[in-house]
Amino acid sequence: MSVRTRFAPSPTGFLHIGGARTALYNWLYAKHHGGSFVLRVEDTDAERSTKASMQVILDGLKWLGLDWDEGPGVGGDFGPYHQSERVEIYDRYLAKLEASGHVYEDEGAIRFRVPDKLITVHDEICGDVSTNLKEQGSRRFNTETNEEEEANPDIVIKRPNGGYIFHFVNVVDDIEMGISHVIRGEDHLSNTPKHLALFEAFGVTPPTFAHIPLNLNPSGTKMSKRDQGALIHEYQESGFLPAAVNNYMALLGWSAKDDQEIFLPEELQSRFDLGGINKSNSKFDYDKCKWVNGEHLRQLSSTDLQDWAGPFLTRAGLPAGDARVPAALELSRERAQLLSEIPDVIATIFETVVTYDETSVAKVASQDDIANKLSALTSGLEGAESWDEVAIKSTITEAAQGVGVKMGALMLPCRVGVMGSTSGADLVPVLVLLGKPEVIRRLQEFSSQFG
RNA sequence: GUCCCUGUAGUGUAUCGGCUUAACACACCUGACUUUCUAUCAGGUAAGCCGGGUUCGAUUCCCGGCAGGGAUGCCA
């Protein structure tokens, strides 16, 4: 039997990291086993579902590269893929339950008669979990009175207004769409017995279930939109690479069982499987996520780096088309973890007026004999016959010897004078990139304040 | 309240009933690099929730407690 997984978001908000990670696991599992990944929109709650929200979710999945084999915009043999368009199917399934006496009406709603027996979920991750829905559902906790009250254990599957309820449509669609593996958040583990009861009522063998642990925020509670790293579109804006976000999300609850943590997309696909998923919830760590991104940044080809960084350069007001950009980007690779950090690292290369960092300048100004050092440096560089890294380095060394100091004593003033700050990309390559006249110009201008 | 899942350093994971001084990564701290650093290299701090039991031996298996999370909707 071929593997068919699905991601079934409800378009009532943004694409959340939890949802994205669920989508990723389903996608990876399908890809790993040569199966299909289906995208299904669970918009049965008309009041809360919006087109805009759907678009954000679709955009997020596309950005992450989690393409679906069937679903909105793609089609497929099991459509339509919006639940709001599948009402006839649900009506048909409801009729089956009516015919077999599994349902009854209750104040306009339709309830599914829950069996009075132990139902066991065979979960790939959590193991066997048993519940008796009738017993369990006949008591309900009232959050207002803080007391337990009697309740009807039979589950509502259709509202008085005609709308179908999640548990029912979810099961019907998984049957109709031939879903083989349901990989979803552990928050659904407690719902699964209800789903199994429905599968049984329909006389259908249920799919394989795998409930994955949840991702919590650093304080250990449910991630909310306000938590850093919660929303996928923000990753795009802050300069993350989709491959890195996928990599990091995969690591939250899954491991390759060895020391490898950085996975290229293809590697992730070939290495990922249910066996590597652990059971405990994890807390989101933004720093580690950024580190993963930095690692991916370093592995990018030059042309990919240019493609990804381009928009961020433009946004920062830098000339993305400048001939020196590719070389500058290479210099930035090791200093940046996010694409959005790149402009800061290399901006000085494209500036006509250098922005000086006060503390950096003060550091230089406090050096002994600084005017003399700077002039030795400037004239030394001015006299350099060639302008490559080797030549520049030896020129600076010679200039340093001339004034009786070590090379390092000139490097710092040179860095601050040319780049405006003690931090930034490697100095010598930047000098090469700027060209001799510009370097001399900057040094002279900088020196003038120490006359 | 009831039911379910989970509980290894701050965080994410690994290993394992004895072969371990419990490993790796991020973060943090220190040192080095006589070019800063947000880079690189080297080093360091830091963990088996608690209590019982099984066993020659348990972090690993079982039970209880506690803690965290989830469910308990005519939301999904």
Side-chain angles (χ1 to χ4, degrees):
Chain A
M1 184 175 137
S2 70
V3 167
R4 288 176 60 80
T5 64
R6 45 77 165 175
F7 177 54
S10 178
T12 55
F14 297 99
L15 180 57
H16 196 266
I17 183 148
R21 194 267 227 125
T22 301
L24 174 68
Y25 280 23
N26 277 285
W27 185 86
L28 285 171
Y29 189 77
K31 294 288 166 191
H32 182 92
H33 293 278
S36 303
F37 174 62
V38 179
L39 179 62
R40 178 172 83 218
V41 182
E42 306 224 330
D43 54 354
T44 53
D45 187 351
E47 310 234 322
R48 303 200 308 153
S49 303
T50 68
K51 276 234 165 60
S53 168
M54 195 59 239
Q55 199 51 51
V56 172
I57 292 169
L58 258 35
D59 289 346
L61 291 173
K62 279 180 195 155
W63 180 73
L64 287 169
L66 305 181
D67 52 316
W68 47 99
D69 301 299
E70 296 169 29
V74 177
D77 297 337
F78 302 85
Y81 291 91
H82 283 80
Q83 290 186 330
S84 54
E85 296 166 13
R86 299 173 62 80
V87 181
E88 299 78 32
I89 297 169
Y90 305 139
D91 288 342
R92 215 170 69 226
Y93 272 76
L94 178 59
K96 289 188 193 183
L97 293 183
E98 278 165 351
S100 53
H102 280 99
V103 296
Y104 61 92
E105 197 186 316
D106 178 25
E107 296 179 2
I110 305 290
R111 283 186 187 268
F112 170 73
R113 235 183 280 278
V114 127
D116 183 10
K117 66 172 186 185
L118 215 54
I119 296 176
T120 301
V121 180
H122 302 288
D123 192 272
E124 291 294 299
I125 295 162
C126 305
D128 286 0
V129 180
S130 304
T131 324
N132 182 318
L133 289 173
K134 189 126 188 164
E135 268 176 26
Q136 205 38 49
S138 53
R139 295 180 302 275
R140 185 157 301 168
F141 191 64
N142 185 322
T143 46
E144 289 180 0
T145 60
N146 266 351
E147 276 171 20
E148 259 187 16
E149 32 189 60
E150 289 280 305
N152 185 344
D154 295 332
I155 57 180
V156 172
I157 59 172
K158 191 178 187 183
R159 306 182 181 91
N161 72 8
Y164 285 99
I165 299 290
F166 161 72
H167 302 294
F168 177 75
V169 293
N170 192 270
V171 167
V172 170
D173 285 343
D174 283 346
I175 292 171
E176 278 288 294
M177 295 182 176
I179 300 303
S180 66
H181 293 73
V182 172
I183 302 168
R184 54 178 17 168
E186 196 209 272
D187 48 341
H188 283 297
L189 184 58
S190 307
N191 289 147
T192 308
K194 293 177 187 169
H195 301 172
L196 288 177
L198 283 162
F199 276 105
E200 190 179 306
F202 288 124
V204 173
T205 307
T208 300
F209 288 98
H211 288 91
I212 61 182
L214 270 19
N215 293 153
L216 309 172
N217 65 24
S219 21
T221 55
K222 211 169 182 176
M223 280 269 239
S224 81
K225 305 100 232 143
R226 261 178 292 288
D227 289 312
Q228 188 172 40
L231 306 176
I232 295 304
H233 68 264
E234 287 178 354
Y235 285 88
Q236 185 172 6
E237 288 152 20
S238 8
F240 281 89
L241 263 12
V245 177
N246 283 336
N247 189 157
Y248 180 68
M249 289 196 299
L251 252 27
L252 245 28
W254 170 85
S255 82
K257 301 287 180 196
D258 57 21
D259 288 341
Q260 185 173 351
E261 294 200 299
I262 300 301
F263 299 91
L264 263 12
E266 318 79 64
E267 275 181 302
L268 207 48
Q269 250 181 65
S270 64
R271 298 278 247 129
F272 182 88
D273 214 341
L274 260 27
I277 298 176
N278 65 301
K279 304 182 189 183
S280 54
N281 293 348
S282 53
K283 290 179 189 162
F284 183 84
D285 184 348
Y286 197 73
D287 281 331
K288 181 119 186 192
C289 187
K290 281 207 300 193
W291 172 77
V292 170
N293 199 67
E295 293 299 303
H296 278 263
L297 214 53
R298 287 165 199 216
Q299 294 191 29
L300 237 38
S301 72
S302 298
T303 50
D304 283 346
L305 179 60
Q306 286 167 48
D307 289 345
W308 284 109
F312 287 88
L313 298 183
T314 307
R315 193 204 286 176
L318 300 182
D322 191 288
R324 293 167 300 178
V325 161
L329 287 177
E330 288 307 321
L331 294 179
S332 76
R333 242 190 233 270
E334 294 221 334
R335 310 283 160 157
Q337 289 188 318
L338 302 177
L339 293 166
S340 57
E341 292 168 354
I342 291 178
D344 259 4
V345 179
I346 60 172
T348 186
I349 294 169
F350 306 97
E351 283 173 334
T352 44
V353 179
V354 180
T355 312
Y356 289 101
D357 169 63
E358 275 181 44
T359 35
S360 298
V361 173
K363 215 167 176 178
V364 169
S366 69
Q367 287 195 3
D368 292 336
D369 206 18
I370 186 63
N372 196 28
K373 283 185 197 163
L374 278 170
S375 80
L377 177 71
T378 311
S379 54
L381 287 172
E382 221 168 351
E385 306 106 51
S386 52
W387 198 254
D388 53 61
E389 288 193 32
V390 177
I392 291 172
K393 254 184 202 159
S394 63
T395 303
I396 295 178
T397 309
E398 280 165 31
Q401 283 167 350
V403 288
V405 296
K406 291 171 188 165
M407 182 200 189
L410 286 194
M411 288 301 271
L412 188 67
C414 184
R415 166 179 286 279
V416 175
V418 174
M419 298 175 65
S421 167
T422 56
S423 68
D426 256 358
L427 176 60
V428 179
V430 170
L431 297 182
V432 174
L433 217 49
L434 282 172
K436 186 162 150 186
E438 176 64 8
V439 170
I440 301 301
R441 187 187 72 77
R442 290 186 183 191
L443 281 175
Q444 281 169 347
E445 212 171 295
F446 182 67
S447 305
S448 62
Q449 62 182 298
F450 300 105

